[in-house]
Amino acid sequence: MTTYITTPIYYVNALPHLGHAYTTIITDTYCRFRRLCGDDVRFQTGTDEHGEKIARAAEAEGVSPREYVDRVSRAFKEAWPQLSVEPDHFIRTTNPEHIRTVQDILQKVYDQDDIYFSEYSGLYCQGCERFLTEKELVEGNCPDHLKPPEEITEQNYFFRMGRYQDWLIDHIKNNPEFITPKRYRNEVLSFLSEPLEDLCISRPTSRLTWGIPLPFDENFVTYVWFDALINYLTGIGYPDGPDFERYWSSSEHVIAKDILKPHAIFWPTMLKAMGVEPYKRLHVHGYWNVDETKMSKSIGNVVRPGELVEQYGVDTVRYFVLREMSFGLDASFSSEAIVARRNSDLANDLGNLFSRSLTMIGKYAGSVVPEPEKGLLNDVDRELIKAVEHMIKQYRQDMNGFLFHRALQEVWKVIGLLNRFIVTNEPWELAKNPAQEKRLMTVLYVLAEALRIVALVLRPVMPQAAAKMAAALGLDAEQDTLTLDTAGKWGGLKPGTRISQGPQLFPRLDKKNNKKQQQQPTPEKKEKKETVREKGLVGYDTFQELELRVAEIVAAEKIKKSDRLLKLTVRAPEERTIVAGIASFYEPDALIGRQVIIVANLKPAKLMGVTSHGMVLAAKEKDDDGNERLVLSTVSDRITPGSKVA
Ligand code: MSP
């Protein structure tokens, strides 16, 4: 199968920011995923370099448009490798081949009478570079640029877009995957329920010269959208290049909701008029805001991808954006949110699991993947293998549907189960008993094999970390040719493979690592922080280092020779042992099924010979007679064990 996947081509009037980075990262992730499925994939991005906006930006800098677009386009091209984004082709609308093909298309559509000359008065938004309808305005303003559009009367060329309205409605209705998520499909259908006006596709050279001249009238240049959208074709050699034949029928575009109308209405009707079949799927995502506020130069809160990578590392940035945004909805960026994901999901859940497992294979199996004993697989092992197989199925479906956050949730469910698997099997206890040698080797094999599969499915998301994991598991050869079908099957890891410890995948970020963000607080925030420190209180970052979770007690027993201590087995969601000093206040049996709050990232400590992995929180008081009373802390309603308390 082939896949052709594209990002929008970005305007060169601004440098790359988090919004551009997000679209490009998800497109790269999807591209890598399809390659993992065995597809022949082509991934294209690029820059949109004509139009009024660009001409004005160049003028403001006092340079020629050509000089200006060359510089900013280079900044986009150079930004992507820093994010482990590897496009196959970077297109620029100032490429001579692109310009020639746009002119050929205009001529063809003009010759078949789908373009006509007329006078038009309308409300023009400079920011959108298009005429807006009255209905689109919010309190008289363009909803995206928050400015009133200008009333313009002009003679121009028009594309008979209205001619294709019925065809487009039918096409959208007959192809449920044409525009997704559904809300955007519905939005387009609702827009199309009103008569569709023809599209103005020219600008007079008296007003703008920085554009592609119309081949049939030198007094006009092409409207920027009629130029830009065609990049998706010129980039693969339309009309007669072999890559056009090879890839177009499998084309998928990724955009944000801001440019839904040009992609869902202008573009398919243009293709129809040209006699080219429509693209296969359009994937539409929401906006990234910053600290719940719109990202904007004037507010000064624009997030630059290069700075994020420097601060957190490329894999953390990629994981964060994919996990944090539910595809289609808006999301908010904050340094607290990225640090929380890094420390909890990456350092704690994945990183610790990986290094712990490899350390045990090093210690108990001489750093070699051990031979599992088939007959020794018990129900817990079989359940785990089933969960891994289920995850792969779900992951494939979610990644194909652009539900990256869901695919990652599935992977992290398995990571949680693996952490629990270690606690349940206690390999360190098995190691003490020579009769359990074979069981120990089986447990270690199951762990290593599950981690191999976790590394495999994480390749599209975090290419560098996944490669490090594979290398540590002794799998560095032939990694690029693997597919989910071949390598996603249980049992692929060969016993006897030599493993290595490798570096820590995701060291926890402390305040120092996150310094940059703290060095630039608003003056108001800075002042607050200092007052807080003076009073001996802790800051938010210190509080955040504590990982509080809801845990469910599944077993409880008294610890021999202690009046005070109970050994609790809790699910949080992994199963772990916690020793709690509550024996004088609670009967063990009365605790089963209760939900409590635990400190999950407390260093393990041995109490009366039992290792405690965390602490249960409780409130204590003394009455007037000095009698102590203790009540366990809990949540006001039942919730999934493992839920974070913040
Ligand atoms: N040049 C046109 C696109 C032509 S495609 C044939 C354009 N360029 S743009 O530079 O404004 O890029 C818009 C795209 O950048 C959005 O559709 C989205 O992919 C990305 N983003 C820009 N800001 C964004 C957010 N705040 N949040 C998420 N993505 C956003 O429009």
Side-chain angles (χ1 to χ4, degrees):
M1 258 177 68
T2 56
T3 294
Y4 173 39
I5 182 81
T6 67
T7 72
I9 48 170
Y10 303 112
Y11 285 131
V12 288
N13 64 337
L15 289 168
H17 59 56
L18 176 67
H20 305 122
Y22 175 71
T23 315
T24 316
I25 289 172
I26 57 173
T27 309
D28 179 80
T29 301
Y30 181 71
C31 159
R32 289 172 189 269
F33 163 70
R34 296 253 48 119
R35 286 203 174 113
L36 196 57
C37 294
D39 278 15
D40 163 9
V41 186
R42 175 147 171 132
F43 164 20
Q44 177 170 303
T45 185
T47 42
D48 188 354
E49 306 184 9
H50 291 127
E52 286 173 33
K53 256 204 266 245
I54 314 298
R56 275 201 307 270
E59 203 180 294
E61 291 208 4
V63 293
S64 70
R66 165 54 70 180
E67 202 180 330
Y68 176 82
V69 299
D70 282 350
R71 180 163 54 77
V72 184
S73 176
R74 201 175 320 118
F76 272 92
K77 198 169 182 180
E78 287 170 359
W80 304 140
Q82 294 175 44
L83 291 163
S84 297
V85 165
E86 292 175 2
D88 297 298
H89 186 52
F90 188 95
I91 188 160
R92 301 182 54 186
T93 52
T94 46
N95 284 348
E97 308 87 75
H98 171 79
I99 293 175
R100 215 173 309 122
T101 307
V102 169
Q103 289 183 319
D104 290 348
I105 291 171
L106 281 162
Q107 189 67 54
K108 175 182 156 68
V109 179
Y110 180 71
D111 290 346
Q112 73 193 29
D113 190 34
D114 263 334
I115 289 175
Y116 62 91
F117 192 60
S118 176
E119 189 170 277
Y120 183 78
S121 293
L123 299 166
Y124 189 76
C125 171
Q126 301 261 8
C128 297
E129 299 214 16
R130 66 179 177 91
F131 287 98
L132 304 180
T133 58
E134 288 279 359
K135 233 178 141 184
E136 284 177 279
L137 306 185
V138 176
E139 291 169 7
N141 288 333
C142 160
D144 283 333
H145 298 92
L146 310 176
K147 282 187 199 152
E150 286 170 56
E151 176 96 44
I152 289 187
T153 303
E154 223 169 52
Q155 285 197 315
N156 262 314
Y157 285 89
F158 291 82
F159 166 51
R160 293 191 200 278
M161 193 158 70
R163 242 187 204 177
Y164 299 102
Q165 176 168 12
D166 292 342
W167 165 80
L168 181 57
I169 294 172
D170 283 349
H171 187 77
I172 296 173
K173 287 190 172 159
N174 294 332
N175 295 276
E177 288 218 315
F178 187 57
I179 303 166
T180 56
K182 238 192 193 147
R183 61 161 57 76
Y184 297 111
R185 176 175 185 262
N186 294 342
E187 194 177 315
V188 173
L189 283 173
S190 140
F191 186 83
L192 287 171
S193 63
E194 305 275 324
L196 183 61
E197 283 178 22
D198 291 342
L199 179 68
C200 174
I201 53 127
S202 64
R203 297 288 176 265
T205 44
S206 54
R207 187 150 71 81
L208 174 76
T209 52
W210 186 241
I212 301 180
L214 289 187
F216 41 82
D217 191 337
E218 61 185 17
N219 295 317
F220 291 85
V221 292
T222 313
Y223 167 50
V224 69
W225 277 106
F226 209 95
D227 158 0
L229 288 160
I230 291 172
N231 91 85
Y232 299 133
L233 292 179
T234 52
I236 49 170
Y238 173 84
D240 41 26
D243 282 344
F244 172 67
E245 275 287 307
R246 184 161 153 197
Y247 291 111
W248 180 250
S249 58
S250 59
S251 51
E252 304 187 41
H253 303 312
V254 185
I255 59 164
K257 60 187 180 183
D258 54 339
I259 49 177
L260 176 63
K261 200 170 159 191
H263 281 81
I265 297 177
F266 304 176
W267 185 220
T269 53
M270 282 166 66
L271 286 165
K272 183 72 182 160
M274 286 155 57
V276 176
E277 65 173 303
Y279 54 79
K280 200 169 102 195
R281 302 201 287 176
L282 178 67
H283 307 277
V284 190
H285 65 78
Y287 284 149
W288 275 97
N289 296 319
V290 173
D291 294 322
E292 313 294 339
T293 315
K294 197 172 176 206
M295 201 171 17
S296 110
K297 244 192 195 165
S298 50
I299 302 177
N301 63 352
V302 176
V303 178
R304 301 286 173 203
E307 288 172 16
L308 290 182
V309 168
E310 207 178 290
Q311 199 162 355
Y312 304 108
V314 56
D315 287 320
T316 300
V317 174
R318 288 178 66 113
Y319 172 77
F320 172 76
V321 292
L322 286 157
R323 176 64 187 80
E324 195 75 7
M325 182 176 251
S326 299
F327 195 82
L329 303 177
D330 291 354
S332 188
F333 175 89
S334 70
S335 54
E336 286 82 13
I338 190 167
V339 170
R341 286 260 175 235
R342 158 69 175 242
N343 284 347
S344 132
D345 302 7
L346 297 178
N348 263 11
D349 298 348
L350 174 62
N352 281 351
L353 167 70
F354 194 68
S355 65
R356 227 176 142 191
S357 306
L358 293 195
T359 304
M360 288 193 289
I361 296 174
K363 201 163 154 195
Y364 306 132
S367 292
V368 166
V369 174
E371 184 85 48
E373 196 75 24
K374 259 225 156 123
L376 287 183
L377 283 184
N378 62 23
D379 285 352
V380 177
D381 306 340
R382 276 189 284 270
E383 279 298 305
L384 181 70
I385 297 170
K386 242 204 229 134
V388 171
E389 286 166 351
H390 174 77
M391 176 272 281
I392 293 185
K393 212 170 117 210
Q394 208 56 44
Y395 164 91
R396 205 192 270 268
Q397 201 175 312
D398 290 339
M399 293 288 281
N400 186 49
F402 272 64
L403 299 169
F404 304 108
H405 63 293
R406 280 225 219 136
L408 287 171
Q409 275 168 359
E410 289 297 327
V411 180
W412 255 255
K413 264 191 214 161
V414 164
I415 290 171
L417 288 176
L418 287 171
N419 275 315
R420 196 159 125 199
F421 182 77
I422 296 179
V423 178
T424 316
N425 283 287
E426 300 188 311
W428 48 92
E429 293 297 330
L430 296 174
K432 287 182 193 155
N433 182 354
Q436 295 279 20
E437 164 83 8
K438 284 192 168 163
R439 174 66 195 147
L440 173 61
M441 295 306 132
T442 306
V443 165
L444 294 180
Y445 180 84
V446 170
L447 258 182
E449 171 59 353
L451 286 172
R452 179 189 68 84
I453 294 180
V454 167
L456 180 76
V457 296
L458 288 181
R459 279 174 49 187
V461 175
M462 297 188 282
Q464 294 190 11
K468 275 190 214 156
M469 288 173 75
L473 287 165
L475 302 167
D476 21 0
E478 89 286 317
Q479 283 296 295
D480 285 345
T481 53
L482 294 183
T483 65
L484 261 186
D485 280 337
T486 54
K489 287 210 172 71
W490 185 265
L493 190 56
K494 288 194 191 71
T497 308
R498 180 151 287 279
I499 61 121
S500 55
Q501 295 304 310
Q504 221 184 330
L505 287 177
F506 297 102
R508 272 184 82 79
L509 286 182
D510 53 22
K511 281 182 237 160
K512 220 166 107 228
N513 287 86
N514 196 26
K515 215 172 183 174
K516 257 202 183 144
Q517 227 75 29
Q518 293 181 6
Q519 276 173 346
Q520 319 159 321
T522 58
E524 188 193 9
K525 271 192 190 154
K526 200 168 169 187
E527 206 175 283
K528 245 191 210 159
K529 212 165 245 172
E530 273 157 15
T531 335
V532 160
R533 211 171 292 139
E534 275 164 26
K535 287 186 183 160
L537 303 175
V538 296
Y540 183 71
D541 291 324
T542 313
F543 165 70
Q544 253 212 333
E545 282 183 20
L546 276 187
E547 208 188 314
L548 302 179
R549 286 197 223 155
V550 174
E552 190 163 313
I553 302 176
V554 291
E557 60 182 283
K558 289 207 159 132
I559 292 182
K560 275 183 217 143
K561 294 193 203 140
S562 168
D563 300 336
R564 218 172 54 81
L565 300 179
L566 288 185
K567 177 181 165 191
L568 306 177
T569 309
V570 301
R571 283 202 299 123
E574 74 289 343
E575 211 160 284
R576 49 164 89 202
T577 302
I578 296 186
V579 177
I582 56 173
S584 8
F585 307 99
Y586 288 93
E587 278 305 315
D589 285 350
L591 290 169
I592 316 293
R594 280 201 186 216
Q595 292 201 321
V596 289
I597 294 173
I598 64 164
V599 182
N601 60 344
L602 205 61
K603 252 195 199 153
K606 222 173 198 172
L607 297 162
M608 301 295 281
V610 182
T611 307
S612 179
H613 298 272
M615 182 169 109
V616 170
L617 297 185
K620 224 179 194 180
E621 64 177 0
K622 250 188 196 161
D623 65 17
D624 295 343
D625 302 330
N627 296 322
E628 276 192 331
R629 184 168 165 255
L630 177 144
V631 287
L632 288 167
S633 308
T634 186
V635 275
S636 62
D637 213 339
R638 287 195 83 76
I639 193 165
T640 314
S643 300
K644 303 232 154 97
V645 178

